[in-house]
Amino acid sequence: MISVSLFGAGKVAKNLARIILENPEVELVQWFNKNPERLKQYQNTVDVVDNLSALKPVDVYILAIKDDAIAEFSSELPFKNRLVVHTSGSVNIHDLDRKLRRGVFYPLQTFSEESNLKPDEIPICLEALEKDDYKLLMKFSDALGFTPYKISTEQRQTLHLSAVFVNNFVNQLYRIAHEISDAKKIDFNILKPLIFETSKKISRMSPYQAQTGPAIRGDKKTMKKHLKLIEDKEHKKIYELMTHSIKTTHGR
Amino acid sequence: MISVSLFGAGKVAKNLARIILENPEVELVQWFNKNPERLKQYQNTVDVVDNLSALKPVDVYILAIKDDAIAEFSSELPFKNRLVVHTSGSVNIHDLDRKLRRGVFYPLQTFSEESNLKPDEIPICLEALEKDDYKLLMKFSDALGFTPYKISTEQRQTLHLSAVFVNNFVNQLYRIAHEISDAKKIDFNILKPLIFETSKKISRMSPYQAQTGPAIRGDKKTMKKHLKLIEDKEHKKIYELMTHSIKTTHGR
């Protein structure tokens, strides 16, 4: 049995708690938040605490708190030589206080409060300063059914950047398509099967191989038509820049 | 029983043929291509023809040929007053020769030769000049299990543009993430669950509601870190432009 305590009340903390609570091999001993009101709904299930001095010894302390708070908060922890991990994509492992055994447990996913992601849909970027701690984190990930990857701080920061491209920026392209089709009274639902298939396609081939459309075909007539159709200046810029990027990738 | 003939040997034609051949309510009477060699593998299943004069009367002729070829090819058809539809997202319905009963049957999807999309994953944009022809196309779509939408030429051209955003441009963002992570020897597979979840999320909420990340949070520190990490100038430009677009959408 691996024992853990959680810190924070955001989406990452709540999704980790949900998965840990469903699993018989891992015990959630305590859940800390400065404002315990935000964890009210869990008070009957978990020992919710708001006082650092109430913390019990556990195998792993998981800080699912804001990036900017990690360094200072870790220095306030009233113990040393225990394993403390943060869950951030961009914070350096060395930002954790050196009195602690330090590690990173970064879930590379996008969470919403109601998301019901299964553990095998959540890749975990693991890092630890000590070999034994790394092994413990591996055991912990395995027990929960996550897919763990050994990822250095530098690699993790690159992954965090990549995630902005494939999640935030991709979602913004969905938003732009929503705006463009709304303006012509088109039901956005009609685009959803294409959106799903575009993402599924890369499980069968690389994004390089999956590319289609006017840019890669060099179909100037269609691109001209499209640019004429776009009313918003920024959308036009995005069309031109993404088209150019596709041409660069495919040597056109 | 609805009878149809197909024209063309590309991905759209092949996927339509696959779905029609699996369906007992629709008969694929003939399949025309100027170069019948490209349809060799179907010669035992369908009457493959390369001569326009061999065409038999059917309920619907489906031109799944190149956009630029549609107008001229439709004028070469050796009959009139029969229902002919094209499958293009951008060609005007009036580009079909006026001697014909004209319609559009545009599948809003991305196809690969090996794609095994089910009909209910393929929305169809329907258009016809005559009410009875529209009804027949509806009946045809229903029989095959497609989801038909009544879409005007103007709306269809806007959808074609939107599809470039949610398919070609999104795929290029995947490609950029692939390049960025490859450069740090990171397995691209680690990003796939995030890619799938990002697309699935919009079945539960709008892209506007789904947005997260440094741009919408106004997290300047992280954005600065990211820009420093990007080596390619064009990727940097895309980061800046997409970030600005998110800020514009969310009034930051």
Side-chain angles (χ1 to χ4, degrees), chain B:
Chain B
M1 179 75 108
I2 300 169
S3 61
V4 301
S5 286
L6 257 177
F7 298 74
K11 294 174 206 163
V12 173
K14 283 181 180 166
N15 275 280
L16 286 178
R18 172 178 59 80
I19 289 164
I20 294 170
L21 289 169
E22 280 169 4
N23 191 295
E25 291 176 55
V26 179
E27 189 194 0
L28 182 53
V29 175
Q30 291 179 308
W31 193 347
F32 175 96
N33 202 52
K34 281 189 177 162
N35 175 2
E37 274 298 298
R38 290 190 57 200
L39 297 177
K40 219 176 169 178
Q41 56 177 125
Y42 300 92
Q43 253 149 358
N44 293 327
T45 331
V46 192
D47 179 14
V48 171
V49 294
D50 61 351
N51 191 330
L52 290 178
S53 64
L55 288 173
K56 294 176 186 165
V58 293
D59 295 325
V60 193
Y61 297 86
I62 303 172
L63 308 189
I65 61 179
K66 282 203 173 118
D67 287 9
D68 286 342
I70 291 169
E72 201 186 322
F73 187 80
S74 72
S75 73
E76 288 169 4
L77 290 171
F79 50 73
K80 54 185 181 179
N81 287 326
R82 295 188 195 162
L83 179 56
V84 176
V85 299
H86 73 64
T87 58
S88 160
S90 60
V91 172
N92 199 298
I93 192 170
H94 290 100
D95 284 8
L96 289 165
D97 196 283
R98 51 186 305 166
K99 72 184 173 188
L100 307 162
R101 282 159 38 214
R102 296 169 274 178
V104 178
F105 186 87
Y106 167 51
L108 186 60
Q109 243 315 352
T110 176
F111 297 103
S112 44
E113 302 245 342
E114 18 16 304
S115 83
N116 238 327
L117 285 158
K118 286 173 226 126
D120 65 1
E121 295 170 303
I122 307 175
I124 302 284
C125 303
L126 285 190
E127 196 180 352
L129 296 184
E130 300 296 332
K131 253 192 186 156
D132 285 348
D133 291 337
Y134 183 79
K135 273 187 203 160
L136 179 60
L137 291 177
M138 274 295 280
K139 208 178 129 191
F140 172 58
S141 305
D142 277 339
L144 290 172
F146 292 120
T147 312
Y149 289 79
K150 190 175 186 173
I151 297 287
S152 69
T153 285
E154 192 196 1
Q155 286 177 318
R156 178 164 40 84
Q157 287 166 344
T158 295
L159 273 172
H160 189 248
L161 167 65
S162 301
V164 167
F165 277 87
V166 303
N167 173 18
N168 308 148
F169 294 171
V170 160
N171 186 69
Q172 180 64 9
L173 291 179
Y174 299 160
R175 163 66 191 183
I176 291 170
H178 197 169
E179 281 180 37
I180 291 175
S181 46
D182 252 10
K184 299 280 186 231
K185 302 197 191 317
I186 301 163
D187 182 356
F188 183 61
N189 284 317
I190 195 176
L191 282 162
K192 289 182 181 175
L194 175 61
I195 285 172
F196 301 146
E197 177 62 13
T198 301
S199 77
K200 275 195 276 175
K201 221 170 170 178
I202 58 148
S203 60
R204 302 193 301 268
M205 56 187 101
S206 71
Y208 182 90
Q209 293 168 312
Q211 194 56 276
T212 61
I216 194 175
R217 281 200 312 272
D219 179 350
K220 285 179 194 163
K221 212 171 134 189
T222 300
M223 291 188 274
K224 225 173 145 182
K225 261 191 194 176
H226 282 170
L227 281 167
K228 238 179 144 177
L229 271 176
I230 305 175
E231 283 163 24
D232 183 280
K233 265 189 196 164
E234 191 156 76
H235 296 172
K236 214 172 264 215
K237 261 200 218 168
I238 291 170
Y239 189 97
E240 284 167 331
L241 188 53
M242 293 308 299
T243 293
H244 192 267
S245 177
I246 293 172
K247 285 182 183 168
T248 306
T249 294
H250 296 271
R252 283 206 159 256

Side-chain angles (χ1 to χ4, degrees), chain A residues 24-67:
Chain A
E25 292 175 56
V26 179
E27 188 193 1
L28 182 54
V29 175
Q30 291 178 307
W31 193 347
F32 176 97
N33 202 51
K34 281 189 177 163
N35 175 3
E37 274 298 299
R38 291 190 58 200
L39 298 177
K40 219 176 170 179
Q41 57 177 124
Y42 301 92
Q43 254 149 358
N44 293 327
T45 332
V46 193
D47 180 14
V48 171
V49 294
D50 61 352
N51 190 332
L52 289 177
S53 64
L55 288 173
K56 295 175 185 165
V58 293
D59 295 325
V60 193
Y61 297 86
I62 303 171
L63 309 189
I65 60 178
K66 283 205 171 113
D67 287 10

Side-chain angles (χ1 to χ4, degrees), chain A residues 121-167:
Chain A
E121 295 169 303
I122 307 174
I124 302 284
C125 303
L126 284 191
E127 196 179 352
L129 294 184
E130 299 297 332
K131 251 194 188 155
D132 284 347
D133 290 337
Y134 184 79
K135 272 188 202 159
L136 179 59
L137 291 177
M138 274 295 279
K139 208 176 130 195
F140 172 58
S141 305
D142 277 341
L144 290 173
F146 292 121
T147 312
Y149 289 79
K150 189 176 186 171
I151 297 288
S152 69
T153 285
E154 192 196 3
Q155 286 177 318
R156 181 165 38 85
Q157 287 166 345
T158 295
L159 273 172
H160 189 247
L161 167 65
S162 302
V164 167
F165 277 87
V166 303
N167 174 17

Side-chain angles (χ1 to χ4, degrees), chain A residues 11 40 57 77 118 133 141 164 167 178 182-184 189:
Chain A
K11 294 175 206 162
K40 219 176 170 179
L77 290 170
K118 286 173 225 124
D133 290 337
S141 305
V164 167
N167 174 17
H178 197 169
D182 251 11
K184 298 279 186 232
N189 283 317

Side-chain angles (χ1 to χ4, degrees), chain A residues 16-245:
Chain A
L16 286 178
R18 171 177 59 81
I19 289 164
I20 294 170
L21 289 170
E22 280 169 3
N23 191 295
E25 292 175 56
V26 179
E27 188 193 1
L28 182 54
V29 175
Q30 291 178 307
W31 193 347
F32 176 97
N33 202 51
K34 281 189 177 163
N35 175 3
E37 274 298 299
R38 291 190 58 200
L39 298 177
K40 219 176 170 179
Q41 57 177 124
Y42 301 92
Q43 254 149 358
N44 293 327
T45 332
V46 193
D47 180 14
V48 171
V49 294
D50 61 352
N51 190 332
L52 289 177
S53 64
L55 288 173
K56 295 175 185 165
V58 293
D59 295 325
V60 193
Y61 297 86
I62 303 171
L63 309 189
I65 60 178
K66 283 205 171 113
D67 287 10
D68 287 342
I70 291 170
E72 200 186 322
F73 187 80
S74 71
S75 72
E76 288 169 4
L77 290 170
F79 49 74
K80 54 184 181 179
N81 286 327
R82 295 189 196 163
L83 179 55
V84 176
V85 299
H86 73 63
T87 59
S88 159
S90 59
V91 172
N92 199 297
I93 192 170
H94 291 100
D95 284 8
L96 290 164
D97 196 284
R98 52 186 306 167
K99 71 183 173 190
L100 306 163
R101 284 160 36 216
R102 297 169 274 180
V104 178
F105 186 87
Y106 168 51
L108 187 59
Q109 241 320 348
T110 176
F111 297 103
S112 44
E113 303 245 340
E114 19 15 307
S115 83
N116 238 326
L117 284 158
K118 286 173 225 124
D120 66 359
E121 295 169 303
I122 307 174
I124 302 284
C125 303
L126 284 191
E127 196 179 352
L129 294 184
E130 299 297 332
K131 251 194 188 155
D132 284 347
D133 290 337
Y134 184 79
K135 272 188 202 159
L136 179 59
L137 291 177
M138 274 295 279
K139 208 176 130 195
F140 172 58
S141 305
D142 277 341
L144 290 173
F146 292 121
T147 312
Y149 289 79
K150 189 176 186 171
I151 297 288
S152 69
T153 285
E154 192 196 3
Q155 286 177 318
R156 181 165 38 85
Q157 287 166 345
T158 295
L159 273 172
H160 189 247
L161 167 65
S162 302
V164 167
F165 277 87
V166 303
N167 174 17
N168 308 149
F169 294 171
V170 160
N171 186 68
Q172 181 63 8
L173 291 179
Y174 299 160
R175 163 66 191 182
I176 292 170
H178 197 169
E179 280 180 38
I180 291 174
S181 46
D182 251 11
K184 298 279 186 232
K185 301 196 190 319
I186 300 163
D187 182 356
F188 183 61
N189 283 317
I190 195 176
L191 282 162
K192 289 182 181 174
L194 174 62
I195 286 172
F196 301 146
E197 177 63 14
T198 300
S199 77
K200 276 195 275 175
K201 221 170 170 177
I202 57 149
S203 59
R204 303 193 301 268
M205 57 187 102
S206 71
Y208 183 89
Q209 294 168 310
Q211 194 56 275
T212 60
I216 195 174
R217 281 200 313 271
D219 179 351
K220 284 178 196 165
K221 211 170 133 190
T222 299
M223 291 188 273
K224 227 173 144 182
K225 261 190 195 175
H226 282 170
L227 282 168
K228 240 179 143 177
L229 271 176
I230 305 175
E231 282 162 25
D232 183 281
K233 267 189 194 165
E234 191 157 77
H235 297 170
K236 214 172 262 208
K237 263 201 214 165
I238 291 170
Y239 189 98
E240 284 166 333
L241 187 54
M242 292 308 299
T243 293
H244 191 266
S245 177

